[in-house]
Amino acid sequence: MTTTKPVVTIENFNITYSTKRSRMTALDGINLTVEQGEFLSIAGPSGCGKSTLLKVVAGLTAATSGQAQRRGQQIKGPRRDIGYVFQRAALLEWRNVRGNILLQAEMRGMDKAKAARRADELIEMTGLGGFEKSFPHELSGGMQQRVSLCRALLHEPDVLLMDEPFGALDALTRERMDIELHRIWRETGTTVILVTHSVAEAAFLANRVVVMSARPGTILETLDVPLGSYRDYAATMEDPDFVRVSARVRELLGASHTAE
Ligand code: ADP
Ligand code: MG
């Protein structure tokens, strides 16, 4: 796509949930722009509206007031031009790796030959080569998330939404997945919005880190991560800019928790 319009524009955005007895503001005065090819991380305490914000971008949740646009067009309903990865890989147990990835093609009625080629590319890119015929129960959590990532990228979505994708993995697997995700982002050029509880993950992967406050969710600060697009993991952990950004994110999250 050649348009220079931002992938996402959110302006003065509020969501209030009303029940018979109470009203609860989930997002309060959110302003956010995401540019083509960016990797944006969102960090914030539980219940501050991070998942809700991703749903806004996906067109699954509407505003109580304010505006949300994709490529300059108002978001009016569910969008098909997204990829979604959740904490649970949500794979079909009776389908093998390839079958799970191609599910996306079947649901969208994609050209079969094109989808098969793209699946092969993604299987190679994500290190799933040799596991095409394996079933979900034969795979580790990290491998399952690779399948979920392939499925989310199959139709070359305009934006990839990731909601705590590696939150259930052990620390070492998570680190490996972060390194691979960063390489895949560089290779595909896909715009990514990632929600995470890990400060290191947020800062290692992103061009910008958005830090949200506890409920009602507001944006406390948006921090640039002034590191190159190629990032060696160990070297990045010691890079003064990385250390500074991480410390600031931690400080903001800490302040936000004590205010709860
Ligand atoms: P996070 O992902 O940051 O943990 P969520 O976006 O899931 O937070 O939720 C933000 C707040 O909005 C929470 O308090 C949650 O209970 C509430 N919420 C989310 N969806 C709904 C809904 N459909 N109806 C009522 N309340 C909701
Ligand atoms: Mg959530």
Side-chain angles (χ1 to χ4, degrees):
M1 210 176 281
T2 51
T3 169
T4 52
K5 293 246 168 67
V7 178
V8 178
T9 311
I10 293 174
E11 286 172 344
N12 302 321
F13 199 94
N14 299 279
I15 293 185
T16 301
Y17 291 114
S18 301
T19 62
K20 278 187 188 136
R21 268 164 297 174
S22 66
R23 284 164 65 80
M24 199 273 294
T25 300
L27 293 176
D28 189 13
I30 300 289
N31 287 291
L32 183 65
T33 302
V34 185
E35 300 291 345
Q36 166 72 42
E38 253 201 294
F39 197 123
L40 186 87
S41 292
I42 301 175
S46 286
C48 76
K50 302 181 295 297
S51 296
T52 303
L53 195 51
L54 292 189
K55 284 187 204 147
V56 169
V57 176
L60 300 172
T61 302
T64 307
S65 65
Q67 282 221 47
Q69 297 180 342
R70 291 284 308 282
R71 302 265 182 204
Q73 289 184 333
Q74 188 122 8
I75 301 174
K76 289 190 182 131
R79 302 281 305 208
R80 289 174 64 82
D81 56 354
I82 55 151
Y84 230 128
V85 178
F86 301 95
Q87 185 166 329
R88 281 194 59 251
L91 305 178
L92 299 179
E93 289 298 331
W94 60 90
R95 283 189 168 219
N96 65 21
V97 163
R98 207 181 163 75
N100 266 289
I101 297 169
L102 288 172
L103 182 68
Q104 183 76 271
E106 291 163 33
M107 291 191 326
R108 289 168 186 272
M110 281 171 71
D111 177 75
K112 278 202 175 123
K114 189 171 172 233
R117 269 199 309 277
R118 178 73 181 148
D120 287 338
E121 274 172 29
L122 289 166
I123 284 168
E124 204 52 48
M125 192 189 285
T126 55
L128 284 170
F131 292 89
E132 293 90 336
K133 296 207 165 84
S134 301
F135 286 87
H137 72 271
E138 299 171 308
L139 303 174
S140 66
M143 294 296 264
Q144 292 187 15
Q145 278 307 48
R146 286 168 205 255
V147 179
S148 170
L149 182 60
C150 289
R151 188 179 55 192
L153 289 172
L154 190 74
H155 54 298
E156 300 181 69
D158 194 35
V159 58
L160 176 65
L161 307 175
M162 306 187 82
D163 199 345
E164 303 185 42
F166 308 139
L169 305 178
D170 66 84
L172 198 60
T173 306
R174 183 174 196 159
E175 197 177 297
R176 289 211 188 104
M177 293 299 288
D178 286 341
I179 293 165
E180 304 238 334
L181 174 60
H182 200 254
R183 177 180 54 76
I184 291 161
W185 168 73
R186 283 200 314 274
E187 287 178 16
T188 57
T190 306
T191 308
V192 181
I193 308 178
L194 168 91
V195 165
T196 178
H197 274 114
S198 160
V199 175
E201 182 172 277
F204 170 68
L205 287 167
N207 304 117
R208 286 189 299 150
V209 181
V210 168
V211 184
M212 292 179 65
S213 69
R215 222 165 48 209
T218 62
I219 293 181
L220 286 176
E221 207 165 297
T222 302
L223 296 100
D224 285 317
V225 187
L227 301 171
S229 68
Y230 176 77
R231 297 177 187 182
D232 174 83
Y233 197 85
T236 301
M237 293 301 119
E238 291 177 8
D239 187 291
D241 282 320
F242 173 87
V243 172
R244 176 180 51 78
V245 169
S246 303
R248 180 64 184 150
V249 173
R250 265 194 202 94
E251 187 178 24
L252 289 163
L253 290 176
S256 150
H257 273 297
T258 47
E260 256 180 307

